[in-house]
Amino acid sequence: MPAIHVDLARTIAPVDPRIYGGFTEHMGRCIYGGIYDDPDNKARPELLDERGFRKDVLEALKELRVPVVRYPGGNFVSAYRWQDGIGPKHLRPRRPELAWLNEESNQFGTDEFIEWCRELGAEPFICLNMGTGTLQDALAWLEYCNSSANTYYANLRRQNGHSEPYGVKYWALGNEMWGPWQIGQMSAEDYAKTAFQWAKALRLLDPSIKLVSCGNNGVTDWDRVVLRTLAPVVDYHSLHRYTGRKGVHDINVMGPPAAEKGIEITKSLIDLALIEHGLSKELTICFDEWNMWDPNGIPGEEGQEQPYDLSDALAVASWLNIFVRNADIVKMANIAQSVNVLSPIITSPSGLYKQTIYHPLKLFATFMHGTSLDVFVSSLASKADDDEEFYTGETDPAFIAHLAKHTPPSKRPSRWIDVSAVLTTDERELRIAVVNKHAERGYRIPLKLSLGSGPRLKREVTIHEVWHEDLSAGNDWETPERVRVRTRREALDQNEEGVLVLEAREHSFVLLVLELE
Ligand code: AHR
């Protein structure tokens, strides 16, 4: 039987709230029909403000406490002319959109995005076009957003009604430039060489910005080559990964560990690059696209509105556990995407509902802050009992199964019980996020807590739980609350050794709040 060990002295790092970031791309109904609508749309006028921002969507995202939003893509950005999206709306050109084979009206652009972020209370994070875009365009975009000088693009921003610079801090050097689907795909060497020059010039214009290199998933040579060249000039290395297999729960829920491997490898690649350059600087990971994405689901060209079930919610909780556990190196992460496209929120012209994955996301964004603790799940030594603690079947990607076979139990990526823990900044609460990925088996999990000489634990705890008897249960317009959070206060059971025990029922996610006194 697994046990959870938490030692308050074994700290990792503060959890950066930006790991709960979002992403809005000009794709499907994310922007148009998602966060924004034609202000003259009369379907339910009370849902739109005078700028065309969906008030209900803003509310739902505020509940998720989204601290930073990436924009405008994604693949979309690699043919995007940002200049089309500013100035009087009736003069903005309508263009062919090549990433998702659509048409772009440009009614929502940089100024609207910044204003929307301000309304949300989130920081903007802009991804630059390194496909069809030039360095000149990128410099112009940065000048438009951030310059207070008496120069052309800064004055254009003023002319468009925005006297103060926007101070956009985060800028990404291209999106997935390694992908064959990307307009302007490059080799790692070509990308690194070009991005180095871009970084240099962008910093000359605004030395205060933070730059993000375009990474792959962390387990590729692209990441090594790019980091080796760009380490001196960037602040973050981006990673992307999507996992998921609809209807095959075990494979679905065992996908996220691939991301953790990517993070571990990237952490070492960062160390290696910094050592090679003799540098001592902060260079961390920005996991700026992650989520569940069924490869056999609705294609991007059709808007990629994936319905999520409880299995996906458990996988998302596992994704978030990974970011919390790796708080020392993952300083930003952006769920892809925030509305309608692969999203926790689905809208119609007259309302919205929250998909299953909304709930773990909200619980983490609300509670998993403070110092990440080096939580450890102990294992049985006996091979005969392996099945009780580990999944041993097929995985996607396949390398998780391979690692599972060749890794000692304490570090095996295929554990049914997946955990992260934080100590709040005021040191009054210990919060433990526990995913029981097993479809059928419930666990009585001893909580072996080392609290030091100071605090003591109250036996009565708060339990926030996401569970439904049916693993394939999802939310929809008819039953929008089928899968949701249920919260209760209860005194935890104690085992014969006097250790508190958490009952984690089959296929459940539990966020446990323990009070210290
Ligand atoms: O989020 C959907 C797409 O997935 C993004 O546009 C792209 O960057 C990734 O391949």
Side-chain angles (χ1 to χ4, degrees):
M1 186 58 80
I4 293 174
H5 300 250
V6 179
D7 181 343
L8 295 193
R10 291 187 60 127
T11 60
I12 297 175
V15 173
D16 195 316
R18 292 170 307 165
I19 64 172
Y20 306 121
F23 171 37
T24 53
E25 174 168 4
H26 285 248
M27 176 182 178
R29 297 193 308 127
C30 181
I31 302 284
Y32 305 109
I35 67 174
Y36 172 89
D37 239 319
D38 179 350
D40 294 330
N41 187 327
K42 297 282 184 280
R44 266 192 61 193
E46 73 277 12
L47 289 184
L48 292 183
D49 73 8
E50 67 293 350
R51 297 160 296 188
F53 297 164
R54 278 284 294 256
K55 291 191 270 188
D56 54 342
V57 172
L58 276 165
E59 262 334 289
L61 291 173
K62 277 181 191 168
E63 272 182 53
L64 290 181
R65 299 162 185 242
V66 180
V68 56
V69 181
R70 181 172 180 253
Y71 173 84
N75 298 342
F76 168 81
V77 79
S78 292
Y80 179 51
R81 303 185 225 198
W82 72 269
Q83 295 94 333
D84 288 349
I86 55 168
K89 290 198 173 183
H90 67 283
L91 296 178
R92 297 186 191 178
R94 201 175 167 88
R95 303 270 191 200
E97 195 289 295
L98 299 180
W100 308 110
L101 304 181
N102 210 330
E103 289 175 16
E104 174 54 50
S105 70
N106 283 304
Q107 294 303 291
F108 188 96
T110 304
D111 297 321
E112 288 79 20
F113 173 64
I114 301 287
E115 205 162 328
W116 182 79
C117 282
R118 302 276 187 261
E119 192 65 45
L120 176 60
E123 279 205 69
F125 167 18
I126 290 182
C127 183
L128 293 165
N129 172 1
M130 286 191 73
T132 60
T134 62
L135 174 53
Q136 202 69 261
D137 294 325
L139 286 166
W141 204 355
L142 178 59
E143 181 193 330
Y144 185 87
C145 287
N146 286 6
S147 176
S148 52
N150 178 20
T151 51
Y152 180 77
Y153 284 104
N155 285 333
L156 190 56
R157 184 196 65 240
R158 292 185 186 100
Q159 203 179 301
N160 288 337
H162 311 282
S163 55
E164 290 307 310
Y166 292 143
V168 177
K169 189 162 156 193
Y170 306 106
W171 294 82
L173 297 161
N175 175 70
E176 295 187 355
M177 297 308 296
W178 40 269
W181 53 86
Q182 206 66 220
I183 295 170
Q185 182 195 4
M186 297 183 205
S187 70
E189 288 76 12
D190 287 349
Y191 167 75
K193 210 167 136 193
T194 308
F196 189 91
Q197 296 307 322
W198 280 44
K200 227 168 56 182
L202 291 161
R203 276 198 201 289
L204 287 172
L205 185 62
D206 183 350
S208 73
I209 55 173
K210 299 283 180 200
L211 288 172
V212 184
S213 52
C214 167
N216 192 324
N217 57 31
V219 290
T220 69
D221 204 44
W222 171 282
D223 294 287
R224 185 186 64 79
V225 172
V226 165
L227 272 165
R228 195 176 53 188
T229 306
L230 294 187
V233 292
V234 297
D235 306 283
Y236 300 90
H237 184 69
S238 121
L239 296 183
H240 289 186
R241 187 179 281 282
Y242 295 88
T243 60
R245 183 87 68 85
K246 197 102 217 128
V248 195
H249 170 69
D250 291 349
I251 296 182
N252 200 48
V253 88
M254 287 296 169
E260 192 153 30
K261 197 65 203 166
I263 290 167
E264 280 167 26
I265 292 175
T266 304
K267 188 175 171 186
S268 294
L269 290 175
I270 289 173
D271 285 344
L272 180 64
L274 293 178
I275 291 166
E276 279 178 349
H277 287 281
L279 283 169
S280 162
K281 62 178 274 194
E282 191 165 303
L283 174 50
T284 55
I285 293 172
C286 167
F287 215 118
D288 56 15
E289 282 189 35
W290 69 271
N291 203 351
M292 304 303 291
W293 180 345
D294 175 31
N296 303 313
I298 299 158
E301 291 74 12
E302 290 168 31
Q304 213 132 43
E305 297 192 14
Q306 177 161 333
Y308 290 116
D309 58 17
L310 175 62
S311 174
D312 296 313
L314 301 183
V316 159
S318 175
W319 266 102
L320 293 163
N321 271 345
I322 290 168
F323 297 142
V324 171
R325 282 200 294 266
N326 292 278
D328 57 327
I329 190 74
V330 180
K331 298 294 179 183
M332 193 197 299
N334 307 75
I335 189 167
Q337 299 186 3
S338 289
V339 185
N340 286 329
V341 179
L342 297 169
S343 168
I345 295 166
I346 297 290
T347 67
S348 78
S350 57
L352 64 77
Y353 73 88
K354 296 163 180 171
Q355 296 229 66
T356 60
I357 63 170
Y358 184 93
H359 299 294
L361 201 55
K362 180 172 168 187
L363 285 175
F364 270 83
T366 307
F367 294 105
M368 295 305 275
H369 294 279
T371 305
S372 170
L373 299 169
D374 189 9
V375 59
F376 176 70
V377 183
S378 63
S379 315
L380 293 164
S382 138
K383 183 89 183 108
D385 296 323
D386 260 13
D387 276 2
E388 196 180 327
E389 286 196 40
F390 301 104
Y391 168 71
T392 50
E394 184 196 341
T395 60
D396 184 10
F399 74 76
I400 305 165
H402 165 81
L403 290 172
K405 211 176 279 173
H406 300 283
T407 310
S410 64
K411 291 192 186 305
R412 229 172 259 172
S414 54
R415 190 181 286 287
W416 292 118
I417 299 297
D418 185 64
V419 187
S420 72
V422 296
L423 178 65
T424 53
T425 317
D426 61 9
E427 303 195 347
R428 296 178 69 157
E429 284 182 2
L430 172 61
R431 298 169 180 170
I432 308 180
V434 182
V435 186
N436 176 5
K437 298 181 179 181
H438 203 293
E440 285 143 21
R441 194 191 300 249
Y443 291 85
R444 270 177 62 80
I445 310 175
L447 301 174
K448 302 201 165 179
L449 309 176
S450 305
L451 304 178
S453 52
R456 283 177 14 167
L457 211 58
K458 290 193 193 159
R459 227 177 110 186
E460 189 159 313
V461 301
T462 304
I463 293 179
H464 304 277
E465 186 184 43
V466 180
W467 180 83
H468 190 280
E469 59 200 355
D470 179 2
L471 248 181
S472 65
N475 297 338
D476 53 29
W477 291 108
E478 281 71 46
T479 48
E481 302 235 323
R482 220 166 147 220
V483 177
R484 63 180 175 90
V485 180
R486 288 182 169 77
T487 298
R488 61 183 189 270
R489 290 278 293 168
E490 73 178 38
L492 287 180
D493 211 6
Q494 271 178 329
N495 67 13
E496 50 294 345
E497 293 155 13
V499 174
L500 295 180
V501 174
L502 171 69
E503 295 274 0
R505 50 179 155 176
E506 76 285 356
H507 59 248
S508 65
F509 168 56
V510 161
L511 199 147
L512 190 62
V513 178
L514 301 129
E515 289 156 39
L516 301 164
E517 53 183 3

